[in-house]
Amino acid sequence: MTEPSSRRSPLHDVHVREGAAFTDFGGWEMPLKFGSELAEHTAVRTAAGLFDLSHMGEIVVLGPQAAEALDAALLGELSLVEEGRARYTLLLNEQGGVLDDLVVYRTGQDRFLVVANAANREVVAAALRERAAAFDCAVQDESDDVGLIALQGPLSLDVLLETGGFSADGDGRTEERFAELVRGLGNYRFLAGEFRGHPVLVARTGYTGEYGFEIFTASGVLAELWSALLSTGRGSGVLPVGLAARDTLRLEAGMPLYGNELLPVTTPQQAGLGRLVRREKRADYVGRAAVEATEAGSGRVLVGLAAEGRRAGRKGYPVRAGDREVGVVTSGALSPTLGHPIAMAYVDQDARAAELSIDVRGTGLPVTVVPLPFYKRKA
């Protein structure tokens, strides 16, 4: 008998009314789906979908040396990030393995918001406190007070602006000013504003491969915000979306998931994130020596695999070259958008040019190595 999930989203009762089926995710009871997984996936690709991300961790690092502390703690050079911008980065261990992947928002000159995966919230908070101890700054875990919703899909901007009640922060807090600013938001940028008098942070970030937004606000405001966005968008095909469709969306977009593609034993280079390693970074950081010593030809690397038919390789299935096992699937599914099976897998580098197959319960499924991402939205 499995242990019950220990935590519930501020939107749990809302999801119950929507008929959600729930599952445990990182110790949280979260919606797996609200109806058809295929319909939810398709809604995000063709209209928009609304996601509850309240399980994510929100950790604030603030103080005169907050930037320096994060430079020493994380792979990225956060001191170079301007206010109003965000950066995707990694928390590494001494061996260069990934403890978590993060998005860090610079919300002020001396203030950063670090967003961690649900299961790693305490790991990230503890690591940041330890690594920031020598700097003049504080690390505060504000996860219990912050709610997060994602609105993703080609109609997300229209839905956001039609919902009403949003205004820009600062002088002249009008809906017109908010609309002007949000239309001009580039990828990985954000703005501070209000929703019906409550502070919000609206960011052009997401994990679906689509145009969209992530909106932070106080946990107590989340239900009102969710209901307003969903009510506005339903007539245009907007649906609430659960974890099942979220997973196929990020897989199609070739986005790694912690616990699947990212692990404490995988380096950024193995995971296809070598672009994040900047040898010119000024500050030392935990794991630097290990990742910079990683040889380009060492270890298994993450690849995309495509197949024909309807059967799909799943996490943990072996990848073979003839009778030799040369890798393992980390994520796999029948792609709703592309109509054929896709997978990400760690494969021996010298086997990438070989004829490969996924062992699907004893039967070989021929696969081809293809570039990531599998799907890329039209501009």
Side-chain angles (χ1 to χ4, degrees):
M1 182 176 180
T2 58
E3 292 293 325
S5 302
S6 59
R7 309 195 69 184
R8 287 181 171 179
S9 160
L11 294 172
H12 183 82
D13 291 343
V14 175
H15 299 330
V16 170
R17 291 195 293 271
E18 288 282 348
F22 292 90
T23 187
D24 177 84
F25 188 78
W28 287 72
E29 188 176 0
M30 297 298 295
L32 178 65
K33 59 182 180 178
F34 292 85
S36 163
E37 298 171 27
L38 177 59
E40 292 171 22
H41 181 108
T42 303
V44 177
R45 292 282 183 245
T46 60
L50 199 58
F51 300 77
D52 179 5
L53 304 181
S54 297
H55 56 296
M56 303 293 281
E58 288 87 16
I59 301 158
V60 173
V61 181
L62 70 164
Q65 292 187 309
E68 291 88 340
L70 288 174
D71 281 352
L74 305 177
L75 177 62
E77 197 161 10
L78 282 307
S79 58
L80 299 183
V81 177
E82 299 176 6
E83 290 182 50
R85 296 197 177 194
R87 179 164 295 178
Y88 177 78
T89 190
L90 303 173
L91 176 73
L92 305 178
N93 57 27
E94 290 282 2
Q95 294 73 40
V98 180
L99 295 177
D100 202 13
D101 61 331
L102 313 165
V103 178
V104 181
Y105 302 78
R106 190 165 196 167
T107 56
Q109 181 60 32
D110 299 326
R111 185 182 179 92
F112 296 80
L113 172 64
V114 179
V115 179
N117 286 295
N120 293 333
R121 165 188 166 182
E122 294 180 358
V123 170
V124 173
L128 290 178
R129 289 192 182 102
E130 180 181 351
R131 299 177 188 187
F135 297 88
D136 185 8
C137 66
V139 178
Q140 301 173 353
D141 187 347
E142 299 187 356
S143 306
D144 292 337
D145 300 320
V146 179
L148 176 58
I149 286 174
L151 178 65
Q152 302 280 300
L155 298 185
S156 55
L157 176 62
D158 295 338
V159 173
L160 184 64
L161 296 182
E162 290 172 11
T163 297
F166 289 95
S167 60
D169 206 354
D171 295 334
R173 296 182 177 182
T174 64
E175 291 193 17
E176 292 78 10
R177 179 58 177 158
F178 175 83
E180 177 186 351
L181 291 173
V182 80
R183 285 193 183 99
L185 272 185
N187 200 33
Y188 273 72
R189 300 194 182 196
F190 64 91
L191 64 90
E194 291 187 351
F195 171 71
R196 298 179 182 175
H198 302 286
V200 294
L201 189 151
V202 180
R204 276 277 289 109
T205 48
Y207 224 61
T208 64
E210 291 295 339
Y211 181 94
F213 302 89
E214 293 183 324
I215 308 172
F216 299 82
T217 191
S219 296
V221 181
L222 214 57
E224 182 180 1
L225 176 59
W226 174 280
S227 297
L229 291 168
L230 193 56
S231 176
T232 300
R234 276 198 191 277
S236 301
V238 177
L239 294 177
V241 181
L243 292 171
R246 181 186 171 202
D247 194 52
T248 51
L249 289 160
R250 69 92 194 165
L251 173 57
E252 289 182 344
M255 294 176 166
L257 178 68
Y258 189 85
N260 289 37
E261 290 73 39
L262 302 176
L263 294 165
V265 294
T266 56
T267 66
Q269 292 96 328
Q270 288 179 288
L273 298 174
R275 68 184 185 278
L276 301 180
V277 180
R278 299 179 68 252
R279 292 181 180 271
E280 63 270 28
K281 179 176 174 178
R282 294 166 294 180
D284 195 10
Y285 59 89
V286 176
R288 179 168 193 162
V291 295
E292 292 189 354
T294 299
E295 297 180 12
S298 64
R300 288 179 171 178
V301 293
L302 190 67
V303 300
L305 301 175
E308 298 180 352
R310 308 294 291 178
R311 291 184 304 154
R314 303 292 180 178
K315 179 180 178 181
Y317 285 14
V319 179
R320 300 187 183 280
D323 294 332
R324 182 168 63 101
E325 184 172 325
V326 296
V328 62
V329 173
T330 55
S331 298
L334 176 63
S335 167
T337 304
L338 305 175
H340 62 77
I342 58 175
M344 289 194 283
Y346 276 104
V347 172
D348 294 342
Q349 295 199 44
D350 62 2
R352 287 179 292 178
E355 293 186 4
L356 300 178
S357 65
I358 297 175
D359 185 344
V360 181
R361 299 177 183 175
T363 301
L365 173 67
V367 292
T368 302
V369 175
V370 297
L372 293 171
F374 302 102
Y375 164 88
K376 193 171 184 179
R377 70 180 178 89
K378 296 178 181 179

